[in-house]
Amino acid sequence: MPDITLLTRDGLMHRTGGLNWGSNALNHTRPYDSYIPIHIGTIRSNPGLFYRKPAVQQVVNFHWDDGVVMQGLFEGNGPDGYPKQISSTPNKDILGRYFRGRLGLPITRRISLNNLISYGRTTVTIERIDDLNYSLDFSV
């Protein structure tokens, strides 16, 4: 099962993207919106894990290691027609609140690289169960 990094390509924490997507007041986002980035290298090294984006968005279920089931979307326009991020739906802040809870952080706190390192992970392990269900693991 592949790991998806929660960091930038340079191994840094996103300032106004990724888990901190909603922290940019000039964005179209809400304060705690988050997404998990999907780098093209992950797509290329794991054929069949992700599909190219369909013309109509399809809601999928993310089954987390702690028993939480979250509805989500594969969004954004990445290279070769693949999505570039994993988001929660119907609200993008569901994922942001979830990660802050897992990290033991106040809901209003930006997530730092040190928070992830202290927790013990900077990645999420993902596996496709079927077309509409994915397993995600953020356990330590």
Side-chain angles (χ1 to χ4, degrees), residues 50-70:
F50 302 104
Y51 294 118
R52 285 188 169 88
K53 280 182 55 182
V56 176
Q57 283 283 47
Q58 192 166 28
V59 175
V60 297
N61 298 302
F62 297 120
H63 301 264
W64 290 90
D65 59 280
D66 61 356
V68 170
V69 178
M70 180 184 302

Side-chain angles (χ1 to χ4, degrees), residues 24-95:
N24 183 350
L26 301 178
N27 267 350
H28 63 283
T29 55
R30 295 170 8 170
Y32 316 113
D33 286 357
S34 292
Y35 66 82
I36 298 171
I38 304 172
H39 298 283
I40 191 62
T42 303
I43 291 168
R44 289 182 179 145
S45 61
N46 298 282
L49 180 61
F50 302 104
Y51 294 118
R52 285 188 169 88
K53 280 182 55 182
V56 176
Q57 283 283 47
Q58 192 166 28
V59 175
V60 297
N61 298 302
F62 297 120
H63 301 264
W64 290 90
D65 59 280
D66 61 356
V68 170
V69 178
M70 180 184 302
Q71 290 188 314
L73 298 168
F74 291 104
E75 295 185 311
N77 296 313
D80 302 326
Y82 286 97
K84 67 175 188 169
Q85 64 199 41
I86 295 170
S87 301
S88 55
T89 193
N91 298 309
K92 310 301 181 210
D93 66 348
I94 296 167
L95 186 65

